[in-house]
Amino acid sequence: MGEIAFYHLQKSPLERVLPRLLEKTLAAGKRAVVMAGSDERVESLNLLLWTYGGNSWLPHGSAKDGNADEQPVWLTADEDNPNGATFLFLTDGRDGPVDAYERCFNLFDGNDAAAVQAARERWKTYKEAGHTLTYWQQTDAGGWERKG
């Protein structure tokens, strides 16, 4: 069983946090699957990863782009892993096949009471299943602090 890290987004939205975490993932030589809540959200994230940083972009693709095995970051609304990723990023309140990955990043909107409650329920379920869990909260300086 891999580690499941909960990222409580309070200061910055997913659109600012996800690209940074994916940059670190690729720098570590890992591949990622980003599981979104809908096909429309996949397309939104697809555009984001091309344009998020002015001169920055992340190599990625989705079913619409094809060539999954060549994509270090795969965007999907399904539970597939066609690029052989070892890191899973869960967004939009998604749950997924966490046991199939070395590490899972569960990102949730800390300013949305329903999202926070859903994250608490996922935490409880994963803990009861025996997963190793970590909880990360955004700092005022824009970084992350491990809590608990």
Side-chain angles (χ1 to χ4, degrees):
M1 273 187 222
E3 175 188 346
I4 302 173
F6 282 74
Y7 282 78
H8 192 156
L9 309 179
Q10 291 179 291
K11 312 277 185 216
S12 302
L14 176 74
E15 291 79 6
R16 288 188 45 211
V17 172
L18 182 62
R20 291 183 183 142
L21 291 173
L22 290 172
E23 285 175 342
K24 290 182 179 193
T25 296
L26 296 180
K30 302 293 184 176
R31 289 177 161 247
V33 163
V34 177
M35 193 178 298
S38 68
D39 290 333
E40 293 78 20
R41 181 70 156 155
V42 166
E43 287 310 307
S44 173
L45 293 174
N46 199 347
L47 179 60
L48 169 74
L49 296 182
W50 285 118
T51 61
Y52 76 94
N55 293 331
S56 299
W57 63 275
L58 288 163
H60 67 280
S62 67
K64 203 172 193 180
D65 303 311
N67 301 313
D69 58 332
E70 297 176 16
Q71 308 294 349
V73 174
W74 186 252
L75 307 172
T76 185
D78 299 318
E79 293 189 0
D80 55 342
N81 182 2
N83 68 336
T86 55
F87 283 13
L88 172 63
F89 289 79
L90 297 170
T91 68
D92 304 328
R94 289 296 307 266
D95 196 1
V98 297
D99 291 329
Y101 292 86
E102 175 183 318
R103 189 163 182 206
C104 174
F105 299 77
N106 195 306
L107 297 100
F108 65 98
D109 183 351
N111 299 307
D112 178 336
V116 172
Q117 183 58 38
R120 287 181 180 143
E121 292 298 320
R122 286 191 304 276
W123 177 281
K124 182 180 174 185
T125 299
Y126 295 150
K127 185 172 183 139
E128 288 172 355
H131 290 279
T132 301
L133 305 176
T134 57
Y135 172 76
W136 298 88
Q137 191 170 38
Q138 287 182 302
T139 66
D140 289 331
W144 293 94
E145 182 178 356
R146 185 175 176 169
K147 298 282 189 170

